[in-house]
Amino acid sequence: MTSPDSAPDDREVRRRRNVRRVIAVAVVVPSILAVLVAAGAIAMRFVTDDPAEWHVDPLTEPTPSTPNSYRIAPVDAAIDRDADAPTFTTSATELATAFDRIVLADARTEVLAGSAEEGFVTYVQRSAFFAFPDYISVRFIDTEAGSTLAVFSRSRFGQSDLGVNKKRVTRWLDELADTVN
């Protein structure tokens, strides 16, 4: 039988044990999550980009079922698109050169396949922290009045891109309009 004086000591021991458990959980769980996030960020940097899979014609590639892409295409193109492509008074070759310069000046962006000189190029741009890849395929087209382009920007991972593809394409097109017009 325990004495009345020892009862508070038992409660104090249990309370201290519980506090230690809470502290251990509060430290261990966030630490595990931090390690998993860091491992994911590192793993993304080693994901390979297969040109056979991602270098696609923006005028013919079907739109993915996930809402993580954005496409512009000429008015007369027979493809689903989010917006009509602008027209420019310059040749497709000059348009491609100017667009390529704008895109490659953007952070974490490189050519995956094709080239501006060929008039068909796919770029890969990676997000800043996790390095998630987005693929941007572009075709430059001569028209009677000058030129236009088709752009298909899409995320490789995830369900939603939070509007990143649209913002990127819109920003690049705004810079392009300022450059060539």
Side-chain angles (χ1 to χ4, degrees):
M1 184 163 158
T2 60
S3 70
D5 292 338
S6 67
D9 290 335
D10 291 341
R11 281 192 297 250
E12 182 64 22
V13 168
R14 281 190 302 248
R15 188 190 68 75
R16 286 182 183 167
R17 235 185 255 140
N18 287 339
V19 167
R20 279 193 293 257
R21 286 180 187 147
V22 168
I23 290 171
V25 168
V27 170
V28 170
V29 169
S31 297
I32 290 171
L33 289 175
V35 167
L36 291 174
V37 166
I42 292 167
M44 273 306 126
R45 285 159 173 44
F46 294 103
V47 170
T48 59
D49 304 309
D50 183 4
E53 182 176 354
W54 297 105
H55 185 51
V56 298
D57 189 337
L59 292 171
T60 61
E61 183 68 16
T63 302
S65 61
T66 56
N68 60 352
S69 66
Y70 184 76
R71 183 191 324 250
I72 66 160
V75 176
D76 60 350
I79 188 82
D80 291 335
R81 62 184 158 276
D82 299 293
D84 292 333
T87 56
F88 300 89
T89 56
T90 186
S91 72
T93 302
E94 292 168 341
L95 185 68
T97 301
F99 189 83
D100 193 60
R101 201 170 343 176
I102 290 165
V103 170
L104 293 177
D106 220 359
R108 301 170 311 280
T109 307
E110 60 187 34
V111 172
L112 175 66
S115 69
E117 293 79 22
E118 294 172 26
F120 176 36
V121 61
T122 297
Y123 304 94
V124 60
Q125 184 176 50
R126 295 184 176 274
S127 61
F129 181 74
F130 281 105
F132 290 129
D134 288 350
Y135 302 96
I136 308 97
S137 297
V138 186
R139 183 169 292 282
F140 302 93
I141 306 156
D142 278 312
T143 65
E144 288 182 19
S147 63
T148 190
L149 69 170
V151 180
F152 184 34
S153 181
R154 63 251 182 240
S155 303
R156 179 172 179 174
F157 298 106
Q159 176 69 21
S160 172
D161 68 348
L162 304 174
V164 169
N165 285 296
K166 179 180 181 178
K167 289 174 191 169
R168 173 184 26 250
V169 171
T170 302
R171 181 171 37 83
W172 287 350
L173 290 176
D174 288 346
E175 288 181 49
L176 185 62
D178 291 343
T179 302
V180 299
N181 286 338

